[in-house]
Every structure is written in C-alpha cells, then in structure tokens.
Amino acid sequence: LVNHPGRAGGANRSMTCVTLSSDNAQPISAVRMGGTLSVNVAFKSAKPISPVLGVIIKNSHGIAIFGVNNKFIGGYRFEKRVASGLISCTLNDLPLMPGRYSLDLYLGDGPQDIDVVCDSISIEVLPADVFGTGQLPPPICGPVFWPATFDLSND
C-alpha cells in the first residue's frame, strides 16, 4: 500500500500492506455470499497511535454499500498506543450479492484519520445458496441480501 495510487493527498503513508482472509485461508481474492471476510492491515507510524481501522465496501460503480470502523462499533477501542502492528476487521455473514467489490481503507489515531487509501484492494463475492432454496435473489433486489421471516394469517 505504500505507493498505492489511491492514497489521499497529504496522508502519512502509515498503512503498508493489506491482505484478505476467510476462515483461516489467507490470502484470498474471493469469498462466498454469507461467508466471513477479514481485512488485515499492517501499519507503521512515525509516532505511536491508538489505531482505528475503517473499511468501506463499494460496488463496481464506486458506490459505497456499507462501512464499518472501530470508532462507532463499540468494544474495540485500542487504547494502548503502538507505532506498528496489524489491525484486522472481520465481517461475519457477509451480506453481499455476487460481484466484484473494492475496499477503501482508513487508518486513524483515535478520532483523527491519518491515512486513507481508496480502492486499496478488491474482492470477488461468489454465489452461494444462502437461503437453502437453491435460488439466488435476482440482481434487481440490490447489492445485499438479507434474511427475513414470513407469516400468513387466514382471516
């Protein structure tokens, strides 16, 4: 990532490498619908930081589908300041439909972003029978799938 062309101007080039993994397989370039995706980012900073990792997943048109970070998802604040390390974000039950997606990465020091790399890496989501019906939701349903329950009352 050090010389990645998607790095934001003025960023301090702290993120050095990104790899994707799933269920102890690493590195990966594809994951099945409903699978687990881990985004692993190595970083090295000139001064110790309280690391925050933000991940935004975008569709093939560059539109954000969803984003996560350990600022707004509670319980994952790393108060110990470190100058280097590997920070990982794991997305369980990935709700993406089949297709190619790119990831924007944000590394922060607490509330302040210090490094941003857009389109840092991409992942292919492969079809899977996530509902056990042998059918995929049609593409018109959008970029994510979501489980639901149904009930019928006969009046």
Side-chain angles (χ1 to χ4, degrees), residues 69-129:
N69 71 42
N70 57 308
K71 279 191 269 193
F72 61 74
I73 296 178
Y76 301 100
R77 295 199 183 224
F78 305 112
E79 301 299 331
K80 181 181 177 189
R81 299 181 74 75
V82 294
S84 63
L86 180 74
I87 186 167
S88 298
C89 171
T90 299
L91 303 164
N92 295 309
D93 306 317
L94 193 65
L96 296 174
M97 293 287 283
R100 179 154 295 279
Y101 298 85
S102 65
L103 283 69
D104 291 351
L105 298 176
Y106 293 75
L107 181 69
D109 181 7
Q112 178 80 27
D113 288 334
I114 60 172
D115 196 7
V116 177
V117 180
C118 295
D119 300 319
S120 65
I121 196 167
S122 64
I123 184 79
E124 183 78 21
V125 176
L126 304 172
D129 187 6

